Amino acid sequence: MTNPVCEMLGIEYPILAFSHCRDVVAAVSKGGGLGVLGAVAFGPEQLEVELEWIENELQGVPYGVDVLIPAKYVGIEKGGLGREEVDELIPEEHRRFVEDLLERYHVPELPADEQPSRGIASWSHSGAAPLVDIALDHDIALIANALGPAPPGLIEAAHARDVAVAALVGKVQHAERQEAAGVDLIVAQGYEAGGHTGEIGTMVLVPDVVDAVSTPVLAAGGIATGRQMAAAMALGAVGVWTGSVWLTTEEAETHPVVKQKFLDAGSSDTVRSRAQTGKPARQLRSAWTDEWSNPANPEPLPMPLHGVLIAEAQQRINRSAATSEGAAKLANYFVGQVVGRMSKVRPARQVLMDIVEEYVDTVAGMGAELE
């Protein structure tokens, strides 16, 4: 295919695949799309390891990196809070609730030799800065920010290295701000998408954003098949940004219990909840999301407090989900409404080619109807 995003990024198909798994990133890029590694789950040292591995696999084939720098969070006036400052802001009521929740669901303690997680530190400008620096020191084709305008200097630094910048948006106003900031691609992400997402559906959001900006637009949210890609392109997008569909691939590092839940789930089995990060994010509905939505229980804390609050609890749940019935009930992960179409495990490359082939068949069929 020849279109603006393919030419910009040096790829064959305008399909971008977001994943926290380096194997998925490499497989999609090798197949002709653009794998985009989610950096937020890694510390600086581990991100360096992941990117070196990807580049050894790809040998010059393009790939990208996604960072998560929120537009709003507790401590933004300082660029981010230290771990001790965050700990001091977490109410004792919330700590007791999490402890009680794990006890009620009989989630085992961590082994004595396993260090408890303290949460993701990069959900701030200061926390993400080292990840951005590492990403830009590598041979990436794209850097994307998922939760607000790129921080000062990121766009200039990326462009100085011939790296394209993308930004995810959920409203026309957000897209206009991103265009004014100088991004190269705008990802219009609809309500049905997995992870942090807004309240406007993809079918409405994409054409509104396309009409409002001159910057090329990618569509995101509810896209896992060639027919859905064709619909997105018909709305004016120049490509698609996909995420959920890669979670059930052979390469994905999705927890086995959660992967099976995804395979069994229908499109109505997700919920937009603050239960994982403190910001509204679509995820699989589970006992965990139900407990946090119960009016009798404390409400989730704002980012980044909530992530620090639940870090050890999530570690315990994930560690024992395969052997503990209670932990299995609590286990979940971010996923979009398209989970209902994710009914079998396939190699990532096959997923990519299935999308491409169905897209071609769909467009050809529509053309034949016009003839």
Side-chain angles (χ1 to χ4, degrees):
M1 295 179 63
T2 301
N3 78 359
V5 71
C6 291
E7 294 173 359
M8 180 188 300
L9 301 175
I11 57 179
E12 188 173 358
Y13 309 119
I15 301 171
L16 279 69
F18 168 84
S19 176
H20 291 294
C21 175
R22 65 188 188 182
D23 296 272
V24 172
V25 170
V28 172
S29 285
K30 286 179 179 179
L34 188 84
V36 181
L37 183 71
V40 70
F42 304 109
E45 291 182 1
Q46 187 59 39
L47 181 61
E48 182 74 44
V49 171
E50 301 295 308
L51 298 187
E52 287 184 3
W53 183 92
I54 290 171
E55 291 183 351
N56 286 333
E57 285 289 308
L58 294 182
Q59 295 296 310
V61 174
Y63 76 102
V65 171
D66 175 277
V67 294
L68 198 158
I69 309 174
K72 296 179 181 179
Y73 56 89
V74 175
I76 191 170
E77 67 282 354
K78 297 182 178 180
L81 299 177
R83 192 76 68 174
E84 292 74 18
E85 293 175 295
V86 172
D87 285 340
E88 290 175 1
L89 293 173
I90 296 175
E92 192 59 35
E93 175 192 16
H94 284 73
R95 296 187 190 276
R96 287 197 302 269
F97 169 67
V98 172
E99 291 170 4
D100 174 69
L101 181 61
L102 296 178
E103 184 176 339
R104 284 192 286 114
Y105 283 85
H106 307 291
V107 179
E109 297 277 353
L110 294 175
D113 60 349
E114 184 171 335
Q115 288 294 318
S117 172
R118 300 191 65 193
I120 295 173
S122 62
W123 284 342
S124 67
H125 286 73
S126 59
L131 304 184
V132 171
D133 291 343
I134 290 169
L136 292 179
D137 280 343
H138 282 265
D139 189 23
I140 61 173
L142 176 83
I143 187 165
N145 185 35
L147 268 180
L154 187 151
I155 295 175
E156 293 81 0
H159 286 170
R161 294 167 172 80
D162 293 323
V163 174
V165 181
L168 279 70
V169 304
K171 292 182 179 180
V172 167
Q173 299 94 314
H174 298 163
E176 291 171 336
R177 290 188 203 124
Q178 296 287 6
E179 181 170 67
V183 301
D184 304 288
L185 284 170
I186 291 174
V187 183
Q189 180 172 271
Y191 173 76
E192 55 267 63
H196 297 104
T197 187
E199 299 178 340
I200 303 173
T202 304
M203 185 67 73
V204 173
L205 179 65
V206 172
D208 280 355
V209 171
V210 168
D211 289 347
V213 300
S214 58
T215 303
V217 176
L218 301 177
I223 301 169
T225 69
R227 283 181 291 164
Q228 290 163 333
M229 178 179 172
M233 303 292 268
L235 295 174
V238 298
V240 294
W241 176 281
T242 57
S244 297
V245 69
W246 311 105
L247 292 168
T248 53
T249 58
E250 287 182 0
E251 296 89 342
E253 296 175 348
T254 310
H255 192 292
V257 170
V258 177
K259 184 180 283 191
Q260 189 59 51
K261 284 187 175 186
F262 288 164
L263 295 170
D264 296 337
S267 58
S268 61
D269 292 327
T270 69
V271 61
R272 188 168 171 269
S273 169
R274 294 172 54 217
Q276 285 285 2
T277 70
K279 285 185 179 290
R282 186 168 299 284
Q283 57 205 272
L284 191 71
R285 182 176 179 178
S286 68
W288 178 265
T289 58
D290 288 346
E291 290 284 356
W292 282 102
S293 66
N294 186 339
N297 297 331
E299 292 186 0
L301 296 170
M303 182 181 280
L305 307 186
H306 194 74
V308 172
L309 167 69
I310 69 170
E312 183 178 346
Q314 288 291 311
Q315 182 183 6
R316 289 170 57 182
I317 290 167
N318 291 331
R319 195 183 194 287
S320 57
T323 56
S324 163
E325 181 180 352
K329 290 179 180 179
L330 292 167
N332 77 344
Y333 193 66
F334 307 106
V335 72
Q337 291 178 337
V338 79
V339 68
R341 302 199 68 86
M342 296 154 49
S343 58
K344 59 183 177 180
V345 176
R346 295 175 288 166
R349 187 184 180 94
Q350 182 184 339
V351 172
L352 176 70
M353 297 316 300
D354 286 349
I355 294 173
V356 171
E357 290 171 8
E358 186 177 276
Y359 169 79
V360 171
D361 291 344
T362 301
V363 173
M366 294 173 67
E369 287 184 7
L370 290 175
E371 291 175 3

